Amino acid sequence: MGYAVMLLIVFLCHEVSSISILPHQHQTISLLKFKQSFTIHPSAVTYNCPKSYPKTSSWNTSRDCCSWDGVVCDDITGHVIELDLSCSNLTGTIDSNSSLFQLSHLQRLDLSGNNFSNSHISPEFGKFSSLMHLNLSYSNFSGQIPSEISHLSKLHSLRLYSMFYSYNLRLTTHDFKWLLQNLTQLRELDLSGINISSTIPLNFSSHLTTLRLRNTGLYGIIPESIFHLPNLEKLFLDSNYELSGYFPKTKWNSSASLIKLYLRWVNFSCNLPESLGYHLTSLRSLALDGCNLRGPIPESLSNLTRIEYLSLNGNSLNGTIPPGILSLPSLKGIELSFNHLSGPLEDFKSNSLIWIELEGNQLQGHLPHSIQNQVNLTRLDLSFNNFSGRVDVSLFSNLKQLVKLRLSYNNISLTNDNNVTLPESLTELELAAFEVKELEFLRSAKQLRQLDLSNNKIQGRIPDWAWSNWMSSLKTLNISHNMLTSVDSIPLQSLYTIDLRSNLLHGSLPIPPNSTNYFFISHNNLTGEIPSSICNLTSLIMLDLATNNLRGEIPKCFGNITSLQVLDMRHNNLSGNIPTTFSNGSSLSSLNLHGNKLEGKIPQSLTNCKQLEVLDLGDNHLNYTFPVWLGTLPKLKVLSLRFNKLHGPIRTSRIENMFPELRIIDLSYNAFSGNLPSSLFQHLKAMRTLDPSMEASRYGGDQYYQDSIAVVSKGYEREVVRILFLYTTIDLSNNKFEGHIPTIMGDLIALRVLNISHNGLEGPIPSSLGSLSLVESLDLSSNHLVGKIPAQFASLTSLEVFNLSYNHLEGCIPQGNQLQTFENNSYEGNDGLRGFPVTKSCGTTYAVSGQLDGEESNSEFLSDFRKAALMGYGSGLCIGISIVYFMMSTGKPIWFARIIVKLEHKIMMGRRKKQRRQRNCRRRNNH
């Protein structure tokens, strides 16, 4: 009997042992199959992974699977209940047949930070009935999120964070609501970066502590019930640009627990309420950037004694910064940039601040001395304000952790009375327009990556010690708009951007290191030829050599730099032919060779530059026929060939889609002949339609580069910066065109400027030109036009410049709207015209003004033009694609516009005096 009992015990032990071993064996096989379905890339880029390593490298049969890295088993049953393969460099796919889904007892699964780029989230994930934590974030899943995820009713944490702006994952509105309705145990929900495109449902779990729905395409109004979730600690709804909201009118139920509130780019369109400071006293982070907030910053925010991070950038807040905010004991970061804040910056009473960013306000007064006590400060940005006075380098010299210092564009002058240096920790320094005269204070700054000392008073040359200090670190150097006289060499091998514009540099062109992407050295006094070694810069994206005295031929190798997007060599003394070596794959977007001595043909290899938007070859000696093949460039917006020796009729090919994007064409001052090119006008689609959605042309480096079009219209020169389509323009003036004005020109309804003056055009003015409702400048002067002025011109309400002078027009001048604002000089030289302003009434038959001899008039016009050209403008359209600093768009070169207006007035008065003398002379001779 005892023997039988012993056998029974042994049998039962064996069975129990077998049962406990079976899960291990089964799970080991499943896990190894799962491992084998992926490749491991240790160097692969993984997101949100400070440390990544292949955890599966420890998986082998010599050890129990429960001891493998990332695997946790239940102590009693032996089932795998946790699998953490986050940041494991896995690359591959997870389909519905994956052995992963055989681990049916999983309670926690984390596959974040891997690369499953060809995988959809399988519906099989919904069968993990015991799952409490699921994290599939940052793993490049794509497609529709299956509705089966809502079956995981025990989930406490669901994280499906997709790449923030990729929208690789989608969730239908129905599944979104169904998921929230079923997952009643949720504590944490993160669906950021997933395309939901829905309003926000009301049925959130009352257990929620963290809700992240950033950049999910949500729209409508935020339901107030979210702000009353009783256990909510962290709320992130930022970057939902169609979402709006209202701050709760009653107490926030979550006020006792809410510690992070991120609502950036949600439209509130209201004042910041005082209630924020009274009800949310547990807050540690508050981010309300770009929320269209108005009014002052509430004093009550000084009650947020636990807050560490406060960001209210990009609103319309006004008034002063409440002093209590700057004294909050836990505050580490404050960002109030790009508002309308004014008044002084009070002293900082707390020393806990790590970063201060107040850029782009109207703050004034002296910088507070308490800045020097912020020993933990890493970032300080007070640029673009109205601070004034003298600031000594010693104010910052003891901030040993300072990484970023930006103080540009205030009314501050820098002193160094104590002969100290800035902290060695600095990596970014911007002191533009700071009255810097010397560089000694930078001797210790050996880790600089970005340096902006533009618009200062630095003279002479950059000292050798500076080049040595910055050799290994500096990436961006801007010393433009100073008084440097020489740069013998630029030895920094790591530089990406070099800006030396508007100095007094002379001598030969310095060659930057091969690493350079952006090189700007225009508006200097450089001489000599462009060395062919510049073509070794195979990573070059933008090159600006404009307005120097460079001579010789353009190196042919430029056409082989496929990375080059902008090439500006305008206003030099370059000669020879334009290179013919532009190759397929060229990235060229803007080519400006205006104002040189280039000869020969326009190279047909430019048709390889499929990205070309701007081509300015004006004011050269080019001598050939119209390059009709340029019409095949699909993105060409601006074409200027003015002031050359181009000739012959303008013919277009039979290609169906010619010049589809062209918005500005300037062919003035050439010798084109024949009829105006009706077939060309038929192709100009961008001039025939009004598209309000068109965006300004921009390039990758537009913090440095802006297309600008210098337009002489309405009496002065104006810079139209980056917005190429605003001045849709045709200028065919001063050529030898003849025949009638094509009726089809009236179809170009987007035109702002039309100038076909000083040609040999004849016949009547087509009434179709009255359809150009946007035209602001219309010049048909100095032709042989006959007949009446079309009555339809009275409807041109945008006209500001109007010139029909020196034709053979007759009849009554139409009255009404803009036509009543023009003076006699708009009509002079047309003996048959009657009515205001030529005569008192249309019944009177005499004309006030006589007509100059045509040849005399033309020569006088050209003389006047050349006088004006010396000052940089002409009587027609003057197109320049200039590489200008962003200050050009603020309208600061007003002095230049004033000179233009005065010069134009002087020329006009001179012409009128000369005409009066000639008329008087003729009258005396007749008598």
Coordinates of all heavy atoms in Angstrom, one line a residue, residues 433-501:
A433 N 24.0 93.9 -34.4 CA 23.6 95.2 -34.1 C 23.8 95.6 -32.7 O 23.0 96.1 -32.0 CB 22.2 95.5 -34.5
F434 N 25.0 95.2 -32.1 CA 25.3 95.3 -30.7 C 26.5 96.3 -30.5 O 27.0 96.3 -29.4 CB 25.6 93.9 -30.2 CG 25.2 93.7 -28.8 CD1 23.8 93.6 -28.4 CD2 26.1 93.6 -27.7 CE1 23.5 93.4 -27.1 CE2 25.7 93.4 -26.4 CZ 24.4 93.3 -26.1
E435 N 26.9 97.0 -31.5 CA 28.0 97.9 -31.5 C 29.3 97.2 -31.0 O 30.1 97.7 -30.3 CB 27.7 99.1 -30.6 CG 26.6 100.0 -31.2 CD 26.6 101.4 -30.6 OE1 27.7 101.8 -30.0 OE2 25.6 102.0 -30.8
V436 N 29.5 95.9 -31.5 CA 30.7 95.2 -31.2 C 31.8 95.7 -32.1 O 31.6 95.9 -33.3 CB 30.5 93.7 -31.5 CG1 31.8 92.9 -31.3 CG2 29.4 93.1 -30.6
K437 N 33.0 96.0 -31.5 CA 34.1 96.6 -32.3 C 35.3 95.6 -32.3 O 36.1 95.7 -33.2 CB 34.6 97.9 -31.6 CG 33.5 99.0 -31.7 CD 33.9 100.3 -31.1 CE 32.8 101.3 -31.1 NZ 33.2 102.6 -30.5
E438 N 35.5 94.7 -31.3 CA 36.6 93.8 -31.3 C 36.1 92.4 -30.8 O 35.0 92.3 -30.3 CB 37.7 94.4 -30.5 CG 37.3 94.9 -29.1 CD 37.2 93.7 -28.1 OE1 37.9 92.7 -28.3 OE2 36.5 93.9 -27.1
L439 N 37.0 91.4 -30.9 CA 36.6 90.1 -30.6 C 37.3 89.5 -29.4 O 37.1 88.3 -29.2 CB 36.9 89.2 -31.9 CG 36.2 89.6 -33.2 CD1 36.7 88.7 -34.3 CD2 34.7 89.6 -33.0
E440 N 38.0 90.2 -28.6 CA 38.8 89.7 -27.5 C 37.9 88.9 -26.5 O 38.4 87.9 -25.9 CB 39.6 90.8 -26.8 CG 40.8 91.2 -27.5 CD 41.9 90.1 -27.6 OE1 42.1 89.4 -26.6 OE2 42.5 89.9 -28.7
F441 N 36.7 89.4 -26.3 CA 35.8 88.8 -25.4 C 35.5 87.3 -25.7 O 34.8 86.6 -25.0 CB 34.6 89.6 -25.2 CG 33.7 89.7 -26.4 CD1 32.6 88.8 -26.4 CD2 33.9 90.6 -27.4 CE1 31.7 88.9 -27.5 CE2 33.1 90.6 -28.5 CZ 32.0 89.8 -28.6
L442 N 35.8 86.9 -27.0 CA 35.5 85.5 -27.4 C 36.7 84.6 -27.3 O 36.6 83.4 -27.7 CB 35.1 85.6 -28.9 CG 33.7 86.2 -29.2 CD1 33.5 86.3 -30.7 CD2 32.6 85.5 -28.5
R443 N 37.7 85.0 -26.7 CA 38.9 84.1 -26.6 C 38.7 82.8 -25.9 O 39.3 81.8 -26.3 CB 40.1 84.8 -25.9 CG 40.9 85.7 -26.8 CD 42.2 86.1 -26.2 NE 43.0 86.9 -27.1 CZ 44.0 86.4 -27.9 NH1 44.2 85.1 -27.9 NH2 44.7 87.2 -28.6
S444 N 37.8 82.7 -25.0 CA 37.5 81.5 -24.2 C 36.4 80.7 -24.9 O 36.2 79.5 -24.5 CB 37.1 81.8 -22.8 OG 38.2 82.4 -22.1
A445 N 35.7 81.2 -25.8 CA 34.5 80.5 -26.4 C 35.0 79.6 -27.5 O 35.0 79.9 -28.7 CB 33.5 81.5 -27.0
K446 N 35.4 78.4 -27.1 CA 36.0 77.5 -28.0 C 35.1 76.3 -28.5 O 35.5 75.4 -29.2 CB 37.3 76.8 -27.4 CG 38.4 77.9 -27.0 CD 39.6 77.2 -26.4 CE 40.6 78.3 -26.1 NZ 41.8 77.7 -25.5
Q447 N 33.8 76.4 -28.0 CA 32.9 75.4 -28.5 C 31.8 76.0 -29.3 O 30.7 75.4 -29.6 CB 32.2 74.8 -27.2 CG 33.2 74.1 -26.3 CD 32.6 73.4 -25.2 OE1 31.6 72.6 -25.3 NE2 33.1 73.6 -24.0
L448 N 32.0 77.2 -29.8 CA 30.9 77.9 -30.6 C 30.6 77.1 -31.9 O 31.5 76.6 -32.6 CB 31.4 79.3 -31.0 CG 31.3 80.4 -30.0 CD1 31.9 81.7 -30.5 CD2 29.8 80.6 -29.6
R449 N 29.3 76.9 -32.1 CA 28.8 76.3 -33.3 C 28.1 77.3 -34.2 O 28.1 77.2 -35.4 CB 27.8 75.2 -33.0 CG 28.5 74.0 -32.3 CD 27.4 73.0 -31.9 NE 26.7 72.4 -33.0 CZ 27.2 71.4 -33.7 NH1 28.3 70.8 -33.4 NH2 26.4 71.0 -34.8
Q450 N 27.5 78.3 -33.6 CA 26.8 79.4 -34.4 C 27.2 80.7 -33.8 O 27.0 81.0 -32.6 CB 25.3 79.1 -34.3 CG 24.5 80.1 -35.1 CD 23.0 79.7 -35.1 OE1 22.7 78.5 -35.1 NE2 22.1 80.7 -35.2
L451 N 27.7 81.6 -34.7 CA 28.1 82.9 -34.3 C 27.6 84.0 -35.3 O 27.8 83.9 -36.5 CB 29.7 83.0 -34.3 CG 30.3 84.4 -33.9 CD1 29.9 84.8 -32.5 CD2 31.8 84.3 -34.1
D452 N 26.8 85.0 -34.7 CA 26.3 86.1 -35.5 C 26.7 87.4 -34.9 O 26.3 87.8 -33.8 CB 24.8 86.0 -35.5 CG 24.1 87.0 -36.5 OD1 24.9 87.9 -36.9 OD2 22.9 87.0 -36.7
L453 N 27.6 88.0 -35.6 CA 28.1 89.4 -35.2 C 27.8 90.4 -36.3 O 28.6 91.4 -36.5 CB 29.6 89.3 -34.9 CG 30.0 88.4 -33.7 CD1 31.5 88.4 -33.6 CD2 29.4 88.9 -32.4
S454 N 26.8 90.2 -37.0 CA 26.5 91.1 -38.2 C 26.0 92.4 -37.7 O 25.6 92.6 -36.6 CB 25.4 90.4 -39.0 OG 24.2 90.2 -38.3
N455 N 26.1 93.4 -38.6 CA 25.7 94.8 -38.4 C 26.3 95.4 -37.1 O 25.7 95.9 -36.2 CB 24.1 94.8 -38.2 CG 23.4 94.6 -39.5 OD1 23.2 95.5 -40.3 ND2 23.1 93.3 -39.7
N456 N 27.7 95.2 -37.1 CA 28.4 95.8 -36.0 C 29.5 96.7 -36.6 O 29.4 97.2 -37.7 CB 29.0 94.7 -35.1 CG 28.0 94.2 -34.1 OD1 27.5 94.9 -33.2 ND2 27.6 92.9 -34.3
K457 N 30.6 97.0 -35.8 CA 31.6 97.9 -36.2 C 33.0 97.2 -36.2 O 34.0 97.8 -35.8 CB 31.6 99.1 -35.3 CG 30.3 99.9 -35.4 CD 30.3 101.1 -34.5 CE 29.0 101.9 -34.6 NZ 29.0 103.1 -33.7
I458 N 33.0 95.9 -36.5 CA 34.3 95.2 -36.5 C 35.1 95.6 -37.7 O 34.6 95.5 -38.9 CB 34.0 93.7 -36.5 CG1 33.1 93.3 -35.3 CG2 35.3 92.9 -36.5 CD1 32.6 91.9 -35.4
Q459 N 36.4 96.0 -37.5 CA 37.2 96.5 -38.6 C 38.4 95.5 -38.8 O 38.7 94.6 -38.0 CB 37.8 97.8 -38.2 CG 36.7 98.9 -37.9 CD 37.3 100.2 -37.6 OE1 38.4 100.6 -38.1 NE2 36.5 101.1 -36.9
G460 N 39.1 95.8 -39.9 CA 40.3 95.0 -40.2 C 40.1 93.6 -40.6 O 39.4 93.4 -41.5
R461 N 40.7 92.7 -39.9 CA 40.6 91.3 -40.3 C 40.3 90.4 -39.1 O 40.4 90.9 -37.9 CB 41.9 90.8 -40.9 CG 43.1 91.0 -40.0 CD 44.4 90.8 -40.8 NE 44.5 89.4 -41.3 CZ 45.1 88.4 -40.6 NH1 45.5 88.6 -39.4 NH2 45.2 87.2 -41.2
I462 N 39.8 89.2 -39.3 CA 39.5 88.3 -38.2 C 40.8 87.8 -37.7 O 41.7 87.3 -38.5 CB 38.6 87.1 -38.7 CG1 37.3 87.7 -39.2 CG2 38.4 86.1 -37.6 CD1 36.4 86.6 -39.8
P463 N 41.1 87.9 -36.4 CA 42.4 87.5 -35.9 C 42.7 86.0 -36.0 O 41.7 85.2 -36.0 CB 42.4 88.0 -34.4 CG 40.9 88.1 -34.1 CD 40.2 88.5 -35.3
D464 N 43.9 85.7 -36.1 CA 44.3 84.2 -36.2 C 43.9 83.4 -35.1 O 43.5 82.2 -35.3 CB 45.8 84.1 -36.4 CG 46.3 84.7 -37.7 OD1 45.5 84.8 -38.6 OD2 47.5 85.1 -37.8
W465 N 43.9 83.9 -33.8 CA 43.5 83.1 -32.7 C 42.0 82.7 -32.8 O 41.6 81.7 -32.3 CB 43.7 83.9 -31.4 CG 43.0 85.1 -31.2 CD1 43.4 86.4 -31.3 CD2 41.6 85.2 -30.8 NE1 42.4 87.3 -31.0 CE2 41.3 86.6 -30.7 CE3 40.6 84.3 -30.4 CZ2 40.0 87.1 -30.3 CZ3 39.3 84.8 -30.1 CH2 39.0 86.1 -30.0
A466 N 41.2 83.6 -33.4 CA 39.8 83.3 -33.6 C 39.6 82.1 -34.5 O 38.8 81.1 -34.1 CB 39.0 84.5 -34.1
W467 N 40.3 82.1 -35.6 CA 40.2 80.9 -36.5 C 40.6 79.6 -35.8 O 40.0 78.6 -35.9 CB 41.0 81.1 -37.8 CG 40.6 82.2 -38.7 CD1 41.3 83.2 -39.1 CD2 39.3 82.3 -39.3 NE1 40.6 84.0 -40.0 CE2 39.4 83.4 -40.2 CE3 38.1 81.5 -39.3 CZ2 38.3 83.9 -40.9 CZ3 37.1 82.0 -40.1 CH2 37.1 83.1 -40.9
S468 N 41.7 79.7 -35.0 CA 42.2 78.6 -34.3 C 41.2 78.1 -33.2 O 41.0 76.9 -33.1 CB 43.5 78.9 -33.6 OG 44.5 79.3 -34.5
N469 N 40.6 79.0 -32.5 CA 39.6 78.6 -31.5 C 38.4 77.9 -32.0 O 37.8 77.0 -31.4 CB 39.2 79.9 -30.7 CG 40.2 80.3 -29.6 OD1 41.3 79.8 -29.6 ND2 39.8 81.2 -28.8
W470 N 38.0 78.4 -33.2 CA 36.7 77.9 -33.8 C 36.9 76.7 -34.7 O 35.9 76.2 -35.3 CB 36.0 79.0 -34.5 CG 35.8 80.3 -33.7 CD1 35.6 80.3 -32.3 CD2 35.6 81.6 -34.1 NE1 35.4 81.6 -31.9 CE2 35.4 82.4 -33.0 CE3 35.7 82.2 -35.4 CZ2 35.3 83.8 -33.1 CZ3 35.5 83.6 -35.5 CH2 35.3 84.4 -34.3
M471 N 38.1 76.3 -34.9 CA 38.5 75.4 -36.0 C 37.6 74.1 -36.0 O 37.1 73.7 -37.0 CB 40.0 75.0 -35.9 CG 40.4 74.0 -36.9 SD 40.5 74.7 -38.5 CE 42.0 75.7 -38.4
S472 N 37.4 73.6 -34.8 CA 36.8 72.2 -34.7 C 35.3 72.3 -34.5 O 34.6 71.2 -34.6 CB 37.5 71.4 -33.6 OG 37.3 72.0 -32.4
S473 N 34.7 73.5 -34.2 CA 33.4 73.5 -33.7 C 32.4 74.3 -34.6 O 31.3 74.0 -34.8 CB 33.3 74.0 -32.3 OG 33.8 75.3 -32.2
L474 N 32.9 75.5 -35.1 CA 32.0 76.4 -35.7 C 31.3 75.9 -37.0 O 32.0 75.4 -37.9 CB 32.7 77.7 -36.0 CG 31.9 79.0 -36.2 CD1 31.1 79.3 -34.9 CD2 32.7 80.2 -36.6
K475 N 30.0 76.0 -37.1 CA 29.2 75.6 -38.2 C 28.7 76.8 -39.0 O 28.5 76.7 -40.2 CB 28.1 74.7 -37.8 CG 28.5 73.5 -37.0 CD 29.4 72.5 -37.7 CE 29.7 71.3 -36.9 NZ 30.7 70.4 -37.6
T476 N 28.2 77.8 -38.3 CA 27.6 79.0 -38.9 C 28.3 80.2 -38.5 O 28.4 80.5 -37.3 CB 26.1 79.1 -38.6 OG1 25.5 77.9 -39.0 CG2 25.5 80.3 -39.2
L477 N 28.8 81.0 -39.4 CA 29.5 82.3 -39.1 C 28.9 83.4 -39.9 O 28.9 83.4 -41.2 CB 31.0 82.2 -39.5 CG 31.8 83.4 -39.4 CD1 31.9 83.9 -37.9 CD2 33.3 83.2 -39.9
N478 N 28.4 84.4 -39.2 CA 27.8 85.6 -39.9 C 28.5 86.8 -39.3 O 28.2 87.3 -38.2 CB 26.3 85.6 -39.6 CG 25.6 86.8 -40.4 OD1 26.3 87.6 -41.0 ND2 24.3 86.8 -40.4
I479 N 29.3 87.4 -40.2 CA 30.0 88.7 -39.8 C 29.7 89.7 -40.9 O 30.5 90.6 -41.2 CB 31.5 88.6 -39.6 CG1 31.8 87.3 -38.8 CG2 32.1 89.7 -38.8 CD1 33.2 87.1 -38.4
S480 N 28.5 89.6 -41.5 CA 28.1 90.5 -42.5 C 27.9 91.9 -42.0 O 27.6 92.1 -40.8 CB 26.8 90.0 -43.3 OG 25.7 90.0 -42.4
H481 N 27.9 92.9 -42.9 CA 27.6 94.3 -42.5 C 28.5 94.8 -41.4 O 28.0 95.3 -40.4 CB 26.1 94.5 -42.1 CG 25.1 94.1 -43.3 ND1 24.8 92.8 -43.5 CD2 24.5 94.9 -44.2 CE1 24.0 92.8 -44.6 NE2 23.8 94.1 -45.0
N482 N 29.8 94.7 -41.6 CA 30.8 95.2 -40.8 C 31.8 96.0 -41.6 O 31.4 96.4 -42.7 CB 31.5 94.1 -40.0 CG 30.7 93.7 -38.7 OD1 30.7 94.4 -37.7 ND2 30.0 92.6 -38.8
M483 N 33.0 96.2 -41.1 CA 34.0 96.9 -41.9 C 35.3 96.1 -42.0 O 36.4 96.6 -42.0 CB 34.3 98.3 -41.2 CG 33.1 99.2 -41.2 SD 33.4 100.8 -40.4 CE 33.2 100.3 -38.6
L484 N 35.1 94.8 -42.2 CA 36.3 93.9 -42.4 C 36.9 94.3 -43.7 O 36.2 94.5 -44.7 CB 35.8 92.5 -42.4 CG 35.3 91.9 -41.1 CD1 34.8 90.5 -41.3 CD2 36.5 91.9 -40.1
T485 N 38.2 94.3 -43.8 CA 38.9 94.7 -45.0 C 39.6 93.5 -45.7 O 39.9 93.6 -46.9 CB 40.0 95.7 -44.7 OG1 40.9 95.2 -43.7 CG2 39.4 97.0 -44.2
S486 N 39.8 92.4 -45.0 CA 40.5 91.3 -45.6 C 40.2 90.0 -44.9 O 40.0 89.9 -43.7 CB 42.0 91.5 -45.7 OG 42.5 91.4 -44.4
V487 N 40.0 88.9 -45.7 CA 39.9 87.5 -45.2 C 40.8 86.7 -46.1 O 40.5 86.4 -47.3 CB 38.5 87.0 -45.3 CG1 38.4 85.6 -44.8 CG2 37.5 87.9 -44.5
D488 N 42.0 86.5 -45.7 CA 43.0 85.8 -46.5 C 42.6 84.4 -46.8 O 42.8 83.9 -47.9 CB 44.4 85.9 -45.8 CG 44.9 87.3 -45.6 OD1 44.5 88.1 -46.4 OD2 45.6 87.5 -44.6
S489 N 42.1 83.7 -45.8 CA 41.6 82.4 -46.0 C 40.6 82.1 -44.9 O 40.4 82.8 -44.0 CB 42.8 81.4 -45.9 OG 43.4 81.5 -44.6
I490 N 39.8 81.0 -45.2 CA 38.8 80.6 -44.2 C 39.1 79.1 -43.9 O 38.7 78.2 -44.5 CB 37.4 80.7 -44.9 CG1 37.2 82.1 -45.4 CG2 36.3 80.3 -43.8 CD1 35.9 82.3 -46.1
P491 N 39.9 78.9 -42.8 CA 40.5 77.6 -42.6 C 39.6 76.6 -41.9 O 40.0 75.5 -41.6 CB 41.7 77.9 -41.7 CG 41.3 79.1 -40.9 CD 40.4 79.9 -41.9
L492 N 38.3 77.0 -41.6 CA 37.5 76.1 -40.8 C 36.9 75.0 -41.6 O 36.1 75.3 -42.5 CB 36.4 77.0 -40.1 CG 36.8 78.2 -39.3 CD1 35.6 78.8 -38.6 CD2 37.8 77.7 -38.2
Q493 N 37.3 73.8 -41.3 CA 36.9 72.7 -42.1 C 35.5 72.2 -41.8 O 34.9 71.4 -42.6 CB 37.9 71.5 -41.9 CG 39.3 71.8 -42.4 CD 39.3 72.3 -43.8 OE1 38.7 71.7 -44.7 NE2 39.9 73.4 -44.1
S494 N 34.8 72.7 -40.8 CA 33.5 72.2 -40.4 C 32.4 73.2 -40.8 O 31.2 73.0 -40.5 CB 33.4 71.9 -38.9 OG 33.7 73.1 -38.2
L495 N 32.8 74.4 -41.3 CA 31.8 75.4 -41.6 C 30.7 74.9 -42.6 O 31.1 74.4 -43.7 CB 32.4 76.7 -42.1 CG 32.8 77.7 -41.0 CD1 33.5 78.9 -41.7 CD2 31.6 78.2 -40.2
Y496 N 29.5 75.2 -42.3 CA 28.4 75.0 -43.3 C 27.9 76.3 -43.9 O 27.6 76.4 -45.1 CB 27.2 74.3 -42.6 CG 27.5 72.9 -42.1 CD1 26.9 72.4 -41.0 CD2 28.4 72.1 -42.8 CE1 27.2 71.2 -40.5 CE2 28.7 70.8 -42.3 CZ 28.1 70.3 -41.2 OH 28.3 69.1 -40.7
T497 N 27.9 77.4 -43.1 CA 27.3 78.7 -43.6 C 28.3 79.8 -43.2 O 28.8 79.9 -42.1 CB 26.0 79.0 -42.9 OG1 25.1 77.9 -43.2 CG2 25.4 80.3 -43.4
I498 N 28.7 80.6 -44.3 CA 29.6 81.7 -44.1 C 28.9 82.9 -44.7 O 28.6 82.9 -45.9 CB 30.9 81.4 -44.8 CG1 31.5 80.1 -44.3 CG2 31.9 82.6 -44.5 CD1 32.7 79.7 -45.2
D499 N 28.7 84.0 -43.9 CA 28.1 85.2 -44.4 C 29.0 86.4 -44.2 O 29.2 86.8 -43.0 CB 26.8 85.4 -43.7 CG 25.9 86.5 -44.4 OD1 26.5 87.2 -45.2 OD2 24.7 86.6 -44.1
L500 N 29.6 86.9 -45.2 CA 30.6 88.0 -45.2 C 30.1 89.2 -46.0 O 30.8 90.0 -46.4 CB 32.0 87.6 -45.7 CG 32.6 86.5 -44.9 CD1 33.9 86.0 -45.6 CD2 32.9 86.9 -43.4
R501 N 28.8 89.2 -46.3 CA 28.2 90.3 -47.1 C 28.5 91.7 -46.5 O 28.5 91.9 -45.3 CB 26.7 90.1 -47.3 CG 26.4 89.0 -48.2 CD 24.9 88.7 -48.3 NE 24.4 88.1 -47.0 CZ 23.2 87.5 -46.9 NH1 22.3 87.6 -47.8 NH2 22.9 87.0 -45.8

